[in-house]
Structures are given as structure tokens and as C-alpha cells.
Amino acid sequence: MTRNSEIREGNIGTIRIGPAGWSYSDWAGIVYPGRKRRGFHEATYLAEFFDTIEINTSFYQPLRPEHCRQWIARVSANPRFVFTAKLWQKFTHESDAGMEDERAVRAGFDVLRDAEKLGAVLLQFPFSFHRTDENTAYLKKLLKQFGDYPLVVEVRHATWNEKSFYAMLHERSVGFCNIDQPVIGRSMKPSERATARVAYVRLHGRRYDSWFSDDPALPPSERYNYLYSEDELEPWAARIRHLAEGGDSTFVIANNHFEGKAIVNALQLIRLLSGSKVKVPEPLRQHYPALDRIASEPPAEPLLFPT
């Protein structure tokens, strides 16, 4: 077994599970080997274990076409691999983006789409983006503007939990992003809703103490410092199966990235959904010994204290 297999069963569409992003300093020696071979690239390494990664750098600035071409080449050993990518925050968190900004975004996305390596474009809106007439009109404008891509919308405030909103997405063949986040006040709760042929799930963790914290002494990464238990993942496995019924593709993205916890939980979800043991990154197994129980291959070196 060279990599974890895509998940398909009966009439269930393809389920791809992976992390949000790959460039985290705290993954060194935990997710990635401490000593990297010449030419090592994180996306190539992760494509040995997963069939998708959500590109998050596109949230902060448009993707450069040459970088997209390089990434496509770096994951080519896994023919099942498909990226997803966030839309630039200038469109989702601001409202003054112009034509030049759109052209810059499209330059990178088009490279991925033309290579059939763009599974979805995620429009991630902040908790402060409530359902108002003005915001609904703005969202509709964005969906029309980028409607030639496979779009998915993530909203976090419960004012959007209305039939008319889901109907609007369905009419435009736009996916809805089901999220797991700390449910505080009017936060969106876990769901299993599909509004298009592409379904989407994002797991953010459940750090209630730091999710809305404005403490300057608290590192931003603490929001995502959460490891789901298998008991917490099992209801999501059931939701994911339901989402995949009758659809084409379901993307499941683990965003609880602190110290590789997203990788741990993504592997556990693959195990829950496939019923098969999974290939596990060796450094990660050393830091999270519980993974040895679901690993398809023996450890490279004997564990000092077998689990």
C-alpha cells in the first residue's frame, strides 16, 4: 500500500480527506521528517497520504501561476489528488476588490482548473458576516462573478441557517460548507447539508476558550490547538457518508493544524470511513502513539513502549 486509497462505496461519490495548508513551522519533526531529503516538498509528501489539500495561501494573496504549475507537478505521483483553494480575503472580508484583483485571482485558479486539479473554490466568510439584504446581495454578486468555478460557501453565523439561503445556493449549483466550530452564541452548528454536486466539510476544532479571544498574549495558532477524539469524529463520519450519497465529490478538510493534529484526525477519519488501516507518517506516529493502532505498516523502528 503506497498511499491511503480514495473512499468510494456503492452509489457514494468520491470522498477526499486532507489538511488545510501544508506550510506550518510547528509541523517540522512532527508531520515532516526532521531531516529532509534533497528536493523535499511538503505537498509531495502529504500526497502520499491524502488525496486533497486545501490551499490557504490563496486567502492572503492571489496564487502565482508558476507556483500552481509546480504544485501540480509535485503531487503528480498521486493521480487521485485534487486541490481546493480559498478565495482571496479581499473579496470575502473586504468589499473593494476590482477587476485587476479578479484577474490576479483567476490567473492562478485557471492553471489548477485547466489541469483538472481544482476541486472547489471556498468562499470563507467571517463570523461577523451576518445574513442581511446587503450581504446577501454581495454574496450573489460574488457567486455570479466566479460562477465558472466549482464554488463552496462557508458562513459561520447562524442567521444564514435559512431555507432561502440554501435554496439560493442550490439554484446556482454552489456547495455549502458544513463546519465544526465552537458553538458559541449564534454560531453555525454541525450539519450535513449538500446544495450541489460538490459537498464540503471543514473541522476547525473546539477551542471554546480561545476561539473569539482578543488576548494579544495568546498566539493565533491556539485557536486550532485541538485534537478530536474518535468518539467526536464518529458523528462526522456518518455525516460525511450521508453527504457523499448521490454527489460527485465530497471534500473533508481538517483545519485544527496545531502540531499536526489535523493530520492525526484526517487519518482517523479515513480509517473510520474506509474500514481499512492507513499509511501513517512515521514522525507523526512517534508524537501520537495512538496512530499505531490504525497504521497499515509497522513502525520504521520498534516503539520503546508498544501501545
Side-chain angles (χ1 to χ4, degrees), residues 2-269:
T2 57
R3 61 176 62 88
N4 299 325
S5 301
E6 73 178 13
I7 302 163
R8 294 189 73 118
E9 182 179 350
N11 294 324
I12 293 179
T14 302
I15 300 172
R16 291 182 175 90
I17 299 173
W22 63 73
S23 183
Y24 301 104
S25 59
D26 60 15
W27 284 17
I30 297 179
V31 176
Y32 306 128
R35 294 183 179 180
K36 299 181 178 66
R37 62 182 179 272
R38 187 175 181 179
F40 178 91
H41 192 275
E42 295 88 345
T44 305
Y45 181 80
L46 290 175
E48 296 180 22
F49 307 95
F50 303 108
D51 290 338
T52 192
I53 302 172
E54 182 184 86
I55 301 171
N56 61 11
T57 54
S58 56
F59 179 75
Y60 301 101
Q61 59 188 8
L63 299 177
R64 294 170 62 177
E66 61 269 28
H67 288 169
C68 294
R69 294 186 189 97
Q70 292 170 5
W71 296 339
I72 291 167
R74 292 187 184 281
V75 301
S76 61
N78 181 352
R80 297 185 299 272
F81 192 94
V82 176
F83 290 103
T84 68
K86 292 182 184 178
L87 184 63
W88 189 11
Q89 64 180 340
K90 193 166 188 180
F91 290 90
T92 56
H93 288 57
E94 304 168 26
S95 57
D96 60 345
M99 289 300 298
E100 284 301 316
D101 299 316
E102 179 182 345
R103 277 193 283 269
V105 165
R106 287 181 172 277
F109 285 174
D110 285 352
V111 171
L112 295 171
R113 180 179 61 182
D114 291 348
E116 298 183 347
K117 292 297 180 183
L118 182 62
V121 171
L122 177 73
L123 282 65
Q124 175 194 298
F125 292 94
F127 182 80
S128 59
F129 188 72
H130 299 180
R131 188 175 66 90
T132 64
D133 290 344
E134 181 182 6
N135 284 343
T136 300
Y138 180 72
L139 174 59
K140 289 179 178 179
K141 172 179 173 291
L142 280 185
L143 297 182
K144 181 178 181 180
Q145 186 174 2
F146 293 101
D148 52 319
Y149 297 115
L151 301 180
V152 174
V153 172
E154 176 181 353
V155 287
R156 300 185 178 183
H157 196 271
T159 49
W160 294 97
N161 187 23
E162 293 287 341
K163 289 183 179 180
S164 59
F165 167 62
Y166 302 124
M168 185 269 289
L169 296 182
H170 179 70
E171 289 166 4
R172 290 162 174 77
S173 299
V174 173
F176 172 73
C177 183
N178 302 271
I179 59 176
D180 190 283
Q181 64 175 345
V183 180
I184 302 171
R186 297 299 306 281
S187 300
M188 291 286 276
K189 297 178 181 180
S191 57
E192 50 183 273
R193 189 176 296 274
T195 55
R197 302 295 295 178
V198 174
Y200 215 93
V201 169
R202 299 186 84 221
L203 307 179
H204 295 294
R206 299 177 182 177
R207 279 298 298 271
Y208 281 83
D209 59 330
S210 58
W211 190 242
F212 289 126
S213 176
D214 56 3
D215 182 356
L218 190 70
S221 59
E222 278 300 307
R223 295 182 66 195
Y224 305 102
N225 183 7
Y226 187 85
L227 183 68
Y228 289 92
S229 69
E230 290 198 22
D231 286 345
E232 290 172 325
L233 292 176
E234 284 177 357
W236 274 109
R239 294 185 185 105
I240 293 163
R241 287 192 191 94
H242 184 256
L243 283 169
E245 292 175 0
D248 293 333
S249 295
T250 299
F251 293 94
V252 182
I253 303 298
N255 192 35
N256 52 325
H257 53 74
F258 186 78
E259 294 187 346
K261 291 179 171 64
I263 303 298
V264 175
N265 289 147
L267 292 169
Q268 290 173 328
L269 269 175

